Amino acid sequence: MIVAPPHPREEARLHALADAQLLDTPPEAMFDDVVRLASYICEVPIALISLVDRDRQWFKARVGIDADESSRDVAFCAHAILDDSGMMQVEDARDDPRFADNPFVTGEPWVRFYAGVPLTIGDDDLPIGTLCAIDRKPRRLTPEQTEAMHALARQVVRNLEIGKAARRTVALNDELQRAATAQQASEARLRALVVANPDGMLRVARDGTVLDRKVARDRAIMPDPQHMLGRHVADCLPPRLARLFVQQLERTLASGAVHTLEIQELVDGQPCDKELRFVASGPDEALALIRDVTERKLGERAKDAFIATVSHELRTPVTSIRGSLSLLEHGMVGPLPEEALEMVRISRTNTERLLLVINDILDLEKLSAGQLDLSLRPVEPARVMKTAAESIRGMAAQAGVEVVVGDCAGAPVLADEARVIQVLNNLLSNAIKFSPRGARVDLSAEPGACGRLRLCVTDRGPGIAPEHHARVFERFHQVDASDSRERGGTGLGLAIVKSIVEEHGGVVGLDSAPGRGSKFWFELPCAGAAVKP
Ligand code: ADP
């Protein structure tokens, strides 16, 4: 007896067999019918669908024998799956050295004749077993019987493939079902969060259409929530708020960052402060979370008023101290010993710093109280940029930074010239402060949005991470607290910039990323331009 060698692609074949999910499964009528037909047509007592496993052959369907399986070493089918001709026929096993002393030949079931058609599946046509017909007397199949065996084997393979596709569909359905359940759970969690949150909420599409809303208890901003769905925010919010809303919506979707908007509304005749936090909730929609911040604002205003009063009270004596120190330093009251002179100089520079802070605080206070008088007239961008660069030249030289005034062929803006220079000075002094020695700071102008001109200050400093972009314009916000120690500064400069620019009806912004420098910009309405909302 010769034991059949493994198939040349044995592992892949075994994998295909496992993938068919047939081994050790209960009988199935379709396969039973096939072996019954094979037995009738070929006129043989035994017919099998035999699957050749690693060490055994297992019968998926059988007629004429009782056993479910046998060892692979004695299996005729183990030879048949190696046959490339499409069918292995053995007319008399006693004359074939592979089978002459096979126990199935020398004993039950006394095999003489064997005809097996390999069952090949998959793109690689790997034989996982056979459909075989067995007789106890020597013989051959007629051409019709041979043809019928091939046809029956094709039926078996087709049925296996249909079963596999059906299993794949069921698995896919299960997966879709699981994904749908997970999504429902996630949506339910989200809804629970929205409901539990006392804030109001508006979900708005990129084009400004209201997609969903949740009304806060006081109904501020949404007095008529029933009629908001599907309408443009301009049709449901007060005009000024709608304009700011659309602006923030655009910025949020463009940057992907969170943007906030603070407004004051009258609710039942009382002023109420609201904070709207915009966050993108999809590629073409954003959520605006509306929170009542009236109490916080009251506290902040009281604190600001207190700081302003203190600052105001401090300004006169500190100015007088600076004057006196200056007189001492310049020898107006007689020469001072060198050591004393040095101390006077240190005191005078620190007093000047203190005075700058006091002035910043008072400026901000005036701005937030709307008491800053702006004298608006057409201002040449090129001129203000040159003046600002000139006034900061000393600081730039000391820091080893070059300030370059670039292209600024823009239309005049309608602004208070002194205030624009103050804004540019604040941005320039930051840019210089944060630039490495030898670097360049650029001043430029370009067309802005809605008929405005954009003035830009670009540095090659450390840059600012996106999560700080909105907050750097808040009072006292410093990206790194050590900045104030190492570079000086109070965290008020950018808050002043923002207030002055907004007082002009303009907007401020920042393009920056860590390691890529910062471009701070502000836009002012062009003189004579019809400023769109
Ligand atoms: P400060 O007086 O601290 O400079 P600002 O309001 O002008 O206050 O700036 C706030 C913070 O923003 C700074 O402390 C710094 O962390 C960051 N910042 C401002 N300008 C720049 C810049 N050009 N490069 C990097 N960081 C900057």
Side-chain angles (χ1 to χ4, degrees):
M1 188 181 82
I2 299 169
V3 173
H7 186 270
R9 298 193 55 204
E10 182 64 6
E11 285 310 313
R13 195 191 69 78
L14 288 172
H15 188 77
L17 174 61
D19 200 35
Q21 297 187 18
L22 277 178
L23 282 173
D24 304 310
T25 53
E28 286 172 59
M30 185 270 162
F31 296 121
D32 291 345
D33 287 350
V34 166
V35 288
R36 217 168 291 134
L37 276 172
S39 137
Y40 291 147
I41 295 169
C42 300
E43 299 167 80
V44 291
I46 301 168
L48 307 164
I49 291 176
S50 161
L51 303 173
V52 181
D53 198 1
R54 190 182 292 279
D55 298 315
R56 60 172 179 159
Q57 64 171 341
W58 181 82
F59 306 132
K60 174 65 188 168
R62 58 189 169 12
V63 285
I65 58 168
D66 294 331
D68 301 329
E69 61 179 27
S70 79
S71 148
R72 180 168 174 175
D73 289 350
V74 294
F76 279 58
C77 297
H79 290 274
I81 60 168
L82 301 176
D83 197 301
D84 292 335
S85 68
M87 176 186 277
M88 181 180 93
Q89 279 208 62
V90 178
E91 286 176 35
D92 189 340
R94 288 170 305 184
D95 299 339
D96 190 318
R98 292 175 294 176
F99 306 114
D101 55 352
N102 184 301
F104 294 143
V105 177
T106 56
E108 278 291 336
W110 309 103
V111 176
R112 295 292 175 269
F113 168 73
Y114 173 94
V117 181
L119 301 170
T120 57
I121 59 171
D123 294 339
D124 294 347
D125 282 341
L126 292 165
I128 59 168
T130 64
L131 167 68
C132 60
I134 294 169
D135 206 341
R136 296 195 176 93
K137 49 185 194 291
R139 54 174 291 191
R140 269 194 83 78
L141 291 185
T142 64
E144 291 76 18
Q145 288 169 329
T146 306
E147 183 52 42
M149 282 294 278
H150 283 299
L152 286 171
R154 279 198 298 276
Q155 283 306 315
V156 172
V157 168
R158 204 162 297 143
N159 210 56
L160 290 180
E161 275 161 1
I162 291 170
K164 208 164 142 192
R167 277 196 303 280
R168 222 178 290 136
T169 311
V170 168
L172 204 64
N173 270 342
D174 285 354
E175 210 168 291
L176 285 174
Q177 190 66 40
R178 270 197 301 278
T181 312
Q183 182 167 357
Q184 275 166 6
S186 141
E187 275 169 12
R189 271 196 300 272
L190 197 65
R191 197 127 281 283
L193 272 176
V194 171
V195 171
N197 191 333
D199 298 343
M201 183 215 70
L202 271 175
R203 190 160 69 86
V204 182
R206 184 183 284 278
D207 66 1
T209 310
V210 176
L211 301 174
D212 198 1
R213 79 274 178 263
K214 184 195 151 221
V215 189
R217 219 171 298 124
D218 62 9
R219 294 198 151 215
I221 299 183
M222 291 188 257
D224 190 11
Q226 263 72 26
H227 299 106
M228 293 185 84
L229 285 187
R231 293 172 65 194
H232 193 276
V233 285
D235 300 330
C236 1
L237 300 178
R240 181 172 163 271
L241 173 57
R243 203 175 59 235
L244 295 171
F245 193 107
V246 170
Q247 237 172 43
Q248 294 298 58
L249 177 69
E250 281 168 2
R251 291 176 70 185
T252 304
L253 289 175
S255 69
V258 175
H259 287 270
T260 52
L261 173 65
E262 285 183 0
I263 51 147
Q264 200 171 61
E265 282 277 294
L266 280 183
V267 177
D268 299 331
Q270 295 295 315
C272 275
D273 290 288
K274 299 283 164 190
E275 180 191 76
L276 280 73
R277 287 180 83 78
F278 289 78
V279 55
S281 50
D284 283 314
E285 59 165 66
L287 282 180
L289 298 165
I290 305 160
R291 174 168 294 185
D292 189 289
V293 290
T294 310
E295 282 191 16
R296 194 186 84 200
K297 284 282 161 191
L298 276 175
E300 279 177 12
R301 277 188 207 110
K303 186 189 74 194
D304 291 347
F306 172 73
I307 293 175
T309 311
V310 172
S311 305
H312 199 264
E313 293 306 312
L314 281 176
R315 180 150 69 174
T316 315
V318 172
T319 311
S320 143
I321 294 170
R322 185 192 54 178
S324 307
L325 288 170
S326 197
L327 289 176
L328 278 175
E329 191 184 346
H330 290 99
M332 297 302 186
V333 286
L336 289 177
E338 194 47 44
E339 275 178 19
L341 188 61
E342 184 54 25
M343 295 188 99
V344 167
R345 204 172 291 132
I346 292 171
S347 306
R348 198 252 312 143
T349 49
N350 277 309
T351 311
E352 269 167 5
R353 238 182 106 190
L354 183 58
L355 210 50
L356 278 181
V357 176
I358 291 171
N359 284 335
D360 274 358
I361 291 173
L362 290 174
D363 265 358
L364 259 182
E365 183 54 24
K366 264 198 214 159
L367 279 162
S368 54
Q371 291 166 354
L372 193 77
D373 287 330
L374 296 178
S375 108
L376 298 180
R377 44 192 188 82
V379 173
E380 286 293 337
R383 205 182 58 230
V384 276
M385 281 161 60
K386 282 200 189 95
T387 312
E390 202 50 52
S391 68
I392 206 103
R393 201 161 296 284
M395 179 185 179
Q398 222 170 32
V401 172
E402 187 191 7
V403 177
V404 178
V405 180
D407 194 12
C408 48
V413 287
L414 191 64
D416 182 319
E417 184 163 330
R419 293 295 172 187
V420 180
I421 292 173
Q422 184 181 359
V423 166
L424 283 171
N425 267 337
N426 278 354
L427 296 181
L428 278 172
S429 67
N430 278 347
I432 293 169
K433 229 164 42 177
F434 286 94
S435 288
R437 190 161 273 279
R440 204 175 101 174
V441 168
D442 285 304
L443 258 172
S444 59
E446 56 194 58
C450 309
R452 295 188 291 250
L453 184 77
R454 178 179 286 201
L455 294 128
C456 313
V457 178
T458 310
D459 67 53
R460 278 106 189 136
I464 299 172
E467 62 269 24
H468 288 285
H469 284 195
R471 299 203 57 204
V472 286
F473 291 100
E474 290 173 11
R475 294 173 188 204
F476 303 112
H477 183 80
Q478 292 181 312
V479 175
D480 181 350
S482 63
D483 280 355
S484 65
R485 267 175 273 123
E486 285 169 20
R487 307 177 202 257
T490 55
L492 287 173
L494 291 177
I496 292 177
V497 164
K498 183 167 185 277
S499 295
I500 294 179
V501 171
E502 286 178 355
E503 199 62 25
H504 279 82
V507 285
V508 289
L510 161 64
D511 305 325
S512 180
R516 311 245 309 263
S518 304
K519 179 178 186 175
F520 278 90
W521 53 261
F522 59 100
E523 291 180 1
L524 295 174
C526 290
V531 178
K532 286 186 242 148

